[in-house]
Amino acid sequence: MSIYNRYLLPRLIDCACGMRQIRRLGGALLSGPSKAGAFPLLAEIIEKRQLIANFQPIISMPTGKIIGYEGLIRGPSDSPLHSPLSLFKAAGQCGLALELERLCREGTLETFVRLKLADKLFLNVSPECLLQPDFKGGETLGYMRSLGLSTHHVVIELTENQPTYDYPVLLEAVRHYRSMGLEIAIDDLGEGFSSLRLWSELGPEYVKIDRHFIQNINQDPVKLQFVRSIQQIAENSDTRIIAEGIETHAEFMIIKDIGIALGQGYYIARPNAIPAVMLSPDTADSLSRNGIAVYPRNDLAARKTATAMKLLIPALTVAPDANNDAVYRLFDHDPDLQSLPVVRQGVPVGLINRNTLIDRFARPYRRELYGKASCTEFMDPAPLVVDKNISLQELSHAVVAAGQRHLSDGFIITDQGEYIGIGTGHDLMREITQMQISAARYANPLTLLPGNVPINEHIERLLESKTGFCACYCDLDNFKPFNDSYGYRKGDEIIQATGSILSQACDPERDFIGHIGGDDFIMLFQNPDWESRCRDALDRFAGEIGPIFKPEHRAQGGYLSVDRKERTVFHPLITLSIGAVPVEPGWFISHHEISTAAADAKKQAKRMPGNSLFIERRGRPARADVEIAGEDRGDA
């Protein structure tokens, strides 16, 4: 019996208004002239088996070997249901999802065998389908046998389209299929309804990280941390991670560097009816390239993401009709209560300060006169009210702009205008101070370049990778007298310009630029053309720094100033010195030794006149245990 007679015809007969039902179902799926034809169009696709199976390679990131292909289904190329999203949406709304999925499995298996693809097939199956009687009864397994395809070549890739609640039943089914030689993969980790729970319950052989976390991972430290955390879980659970959606070289290199086992995406190969059987030259070159990826910078991310919610204190409130005696009793009962919000129907209208009320009541006859009066008599009618999502940096600016009293009174926190609690100026200052201390270790606040901690971490990663690189220590000559003569504001301008010039000399995918402190910077090059990049930076520095000086100082090549011993001294214009240390695998064992060698090279560069580059060419330097540390804002 055909699919139409067996499955679709009874559905139309049961419908009291056949064609009206078809139009209604089709109308929910598509817009435009194809509305009315959605249901019969889908029926025709299923009846005539007009599905197209494409395959996308999945590779081993360490070796580049293709270990399998994901089967991906498309509708007819000239059909409104060509895309899988439209196709399965139509099937779901027409009640044909399971029938369509069965046909997809059969078409994918048939094409995989016909193309003689020798690796694993990742076969998309929904958990709902996995539990269907025909699937559990071995229909798909029987179909595989009829094609001569071993179960050891097939991985069931579970795709979540709706919440999965019956985990014990699903686990039982998975155990059954494993006993037949099939492996299990979970798709789109981080995107589905309960993918982490599925991972924990089913113990799959493979887990795919949702493409959202892979796209732009080279620019997003939060995504990087998520993927690294998933990788750590995988290492402890005997699971192989597949990063899908890799679309750029930078994303590929980050995934490779993290140690993710498997990769999939357009950068590796696009889905195709006749899939690639070997890597493209670009992908092969990326795999063979030595070195490490440059991780995305936090750029003071903590400052940007911490919000007023971190300071929230759920506090008592009073209504505007409460009297001052009642408010006084609240303060008297709780010595730690410093402020009391006045709220009308969920909306804050004022703030009563503890000291203000007690001070007023301490005056002769004030309590007798105002005790029964409304608490609005002594409230601040214009308190600082902020939304819970305001950043702490913005909040601190708002407190300063609003006036000194808000540091002691605190502020009211709302959620879309509704009162949820208060915050104190003391807590705000504590958090801001802690953030600044923490940020100074990870990023220089003047240039926003990475600070000492990420510099040392990157050096250690370079050493562990056993790849060659060049460490360049950069320092400004004659900076301190300039700072004294021109002022710190101009000094900061010079430092920021230097940071920008050195950043331009670095390839953001392969080279690292950090700001140690003061006027000291470090560049860590993996690019073999590091010497020309350094010389280009010196040339740009000479061209861009000159305009910061006064014309007469530029004309005479320096300026006169009085030193600490009250002597008039001529100081040359600021120049840039770079000390470069080429590093070969095995020469150093820690960032302490790298810093010592680079600092020595920098000192040699500073002995040279003008903008200078000194390259340490004596081979493996002697070891020492001195860590990089920021120098004073002056010459070494």
Side-chain angles (χ1 to χ4, degrees):
M1 180 183 291
S2 71
I3 294 174
Y4 183 85
N5 291 328
R6 175 165 58 89
Y7 193 83
L8 303 182
L9 185 58
R11 183 176 277 275
L12 295 181
I13 293 174
D14 289 343
C15 178
C17 303
M19 288 310 297
R20 283 203 300 269
Q21 176 72 350
I22 291 173
R23 294 189 184 96
R24 183 184 67 79
L25 288 168
L29 300 171
L30 304 169
S31 58
S34 300
K35 278 186 177 181
F39 192 98
L41 179 59
L42 182 61
E44 182 181 2
I45 290 173
I46 294 175
E47 173 67 19
K48 295 182 179 180
R49 303 174 71 90
Q50 295 175 326
L51 299 176
I52 303 166
N54 286 351
F55 298 91
Q56 187 172 33
I58 299 171
I59 69 166
S60 165
M61 294 298 292
T63 67
K65 182 181 183 297
I66 295 176
I67 64 96
Y69 297 85
E70 180 182 359
L72 301 165
I73 287 294
R74 303 288 185 267
S77 58
D78 57 350
S79 166
L81 301 183
H82 172 68
S83 78
L85 183 64
S86 299
L87 186 65
F88 280 93
K89 182 179 179 182
Q93 294 185 359
C94 293
L96 300 176
L98 294 177
E99 186 69 19
L100 177 65
E101 191 173 336
R102 184 189 65 78
L103 186 61
C104 289
R105 288 197 306 276
E106 292 179 357
T108 302
L109 290 166
E110 288 172 5
T111 309
F112 185 80
V113 171
R114 177 169 52 80
L115 294 174
K116 298 181 180 179
L117 299 174
D119 304 294
K120 290 186 179 293
L121 169 63
F122 285 72
L123 187 66
N124 288 300
V125 179
S126 67
E128 302 78 46
C129 182
L130 201 68
L131 300 175
Q132 290 299 305
D134 59 348
F135 200 101
K136 293 178 71 176
E139 181 184 69
T140 299
L141 291 172
Y143 197 76
M144 289 167 54
R145 293 191 191 98
S146 71
L147 296 171
L149 182 63
S150 167
T151 55
H152 296 285
H153 283 288
V154 178
V155 180
I156 294 177
E157 185 170 322
L158 294 178
T159 57
E160 275 193 291
N161 297 315
Q162 63 186 44
T164 302
Y165 298 111
D166 201 343
Y167 292 100
V169 174
L170 186 59
L171 179 57
E172 180 186 351
V174 166
R175 286 173 178 163
H176 170 71
Y177 300 123
R178 275 206 182 102
S179 70
M180 301 293 180
L182 296 163
E183 291 183 310
I184 303 297
I186 293 177
D187 193 19
D188 294 337
L189 180 75
E191 192 272 342
F193 295 96
S194 53
S195 49
L196 282 173
R197 173 79 184 273
L198 272 177
W199 187 356
S200 174
E201 295 279 357
L202 305 184
E205 285 75 18
Y206 304 90
V207 167
K208 283 190 171 183
I209 301 177
D210 181 61
R211 66 184 63 247
H212 165 78
F213 296 98
I214 304 303
Q215 290 175 348
N216 299 318
I217 190 174
N218 56 300
Q219 301 172 6
D220 191 328
V222 176
K223 291 182 178 180
L224 174 63
Q225 184 56 49
F226 176 87
V227 175
R228 292 176 74 181
S229 298
I230 294 302
Q231 171 65 7
Q232 290 177 354
I233 296 173
E235 289 173 355
N236 295 323
S237 60
D238 199 25
T239 301
R240 303 182 76 187
I241 294 296
I242 302 173
E244 64 176 343
I246 302 173
E247 296 188 355
T248 68
H249 172 264
E251 294 167 359
F252 184 89
M253 296 306 292
I254 288 280
I255 294 303
K256 175 189 171 189
D257 191 75
I258 293 172
I260 299 297
L262 305 170
Q264 177 183 358
Y266 284 1
Y267 182 76
I268 298 168
R270 290 177 174 268
N272 203 298
I274 303 177
V277 294
M278 63 178 59
L279 295 183
S280 69
D282 286 344
T283 307
D285 179 66
S286 297
L287 276 173
S288 63
R289 182 180 296 181
N290 292 327
I292 63 171
V294 178
Y295 288 168
R297 301 202 306 257
N298 281 311
D299 287 341
L300 306 183
R303 292 193 188 191
K304 298 178 182 178
T305 57
T307 67
M309 278 298 291
K310 192 169 186 178
L311 309 177
L312 181 69
I313 302 172
L316 292 172
T317 65
V318 293
D321 56 2
N323 61 45
N324 287 315
D325 277 336
V327 172
Y328 181 86
R329 287 193 295 272
L330 290 173
F331 282 125
D332 186 57
H333 178 72
D334 185 358
D336 295 327
L337 185 62
Q338 297 299 315
S339 298
L340 200 58
V342 182
V343 178
R344 178 189 292 118
Q345 296 181 343
V347 179
V349 295
L351 189 67
I352 303 173
N353 178 273
R354 176 190 188 89
N355 295 332
T356 300
L357 180 69
I358 292 177
D359 179 65
R360 298 285 180 88
F361 268 27
R363 299 177 188 179
Y365 309 113
R366 286 298 183 94
R367 185 164 187 177
E368 288 78 6
L369 288 172
Y370 295 104
K372 301 302 180 184
S374 167
C375 64
T376 58
E377 186 75 29
F378 295 145
M379 79 175 186
D380 176 2
L384 179 60
V385 180
V386 299
D387 186 79
K388 67 176 184 178
N389 294 318
I390 188 174
S391 72
L392 294 188
Q393 287 295 108
E394 293 174 303
L395 177 56
S396 66
H397 294 323
V399 168
V400 171
Q404 181 70 28
R405 76 178 193 278
H406 295 298
L407 280 174
S408 57
D409 288 358
F411 42 88
I412 294 174
I413 303 174
T414 61
D415 181 5
Q416 297 182 347
E418 294 276 333
Y419 170 84
I420 58 174
I422 62 172
T424 69
H426 175 270
D427 288 346
L428 173 62
M429 292 301 101
R430 185 191 69 242
E431 287 296 329
I432 290 292
T433 302
Q434 185 58 44
M435 285 166 53
Q436 289 173 340
I437 293 172
S438 177
R441 297 178 64 228
Y442 287 89
N444 188 286
L446 182 59
T447 60
L448 300 184
L449 291 172
N452 285 326
V453 170
I455 290 172
N456 292 336
E457 288 176 347
H458 192 80
I459 293 175
E460 292 295 343
R461 288 178 55 225
L462 283 167
L463 294 175
E464 290 171 6
S465 73
K466 300 187 183 307
T467 186
F469 64 98
C470 184
C472 297
Y473 199 140
C474 313
D475 187 24
L476 297 177
D477 309 309
N478 309 304
F479 179 73
K480 190 178 186 308
F482 171 87
N483 213 43
D484 293 340
S485 299
Y486 277 75
Y488 271 81
R489 190 166 185 175
K490 281 292 184 182
D492 287 348
E493 188 177 337
I494 288 274
I495 290 173
Q496 289 173 324
T498 303
S500 175
I501 290 167
L502 296 177
S503 295
Q504 292 174 46
C506 296
D507 177 349
E509 289 189 17
R510 301 195 68 187
D511 307 325
F512 181 96
I513 168 74
H515 189 172
I516 299 169
D519 58 330
D520 296 349
F521 296 83
I522 192 162
M523 296 185 290
L524 302 168
F525 288 105
Q526 294 182 78
N527 270 300
D529 61 345
W530 56 266
E531 183 174 348
S532 64
R533 288 173 179 269
C534 287
R535 297 198 184 280
D536 287 345
L538 293 174
D539 291 341
R540 280 197 299 271
F541 184 89
E544 294 182 23
I545 296 301
I548 295 178
F549 291 91
K550 296 175 182 177
E552 59 271 25
H553 293 166
R554 291 202 304 274
Q556 61 193 25
Y559 51 92
L560 296 171
S561 69
V562 178
D563 65 12
R564 292 174 182 175
K565 295 182 179 180
E566 302 298 324
R567 297 176 301 185
T568 300
V569 181
F570 180 82
H571 297 286
L573 301 180
I574 289 177
T575 53
L576 176 62
S577 293
I578 302 176
V581 179
V583 178
E584 294 297 329
W587 280 13
F588 300 91
I589 61 173
S590 74
H591 67 267
H592 305 284
E593 296 178 352
I594 295 286
S595 66
T596 300
D600 288 342
K602 181 258 300 188
K603 291 176 184 177
Q604 295 295 327
K606 291 178 76 68
R607 294 191 177 103
M608 302 164 66
N611 296 301
S612 57
L613 170 66
F614 174 82
I615 302 173
E616 176 57 75
R617 301 188 187 277
R618 293 175 295 179
R620 180 173 185 161
R623 287 178 173 169
D625 251 358
V626 181
E627 186 172 2
I628 282 183
E631 300 179 13
D632 292 336
R633 290 163 63 110
D635 295 340

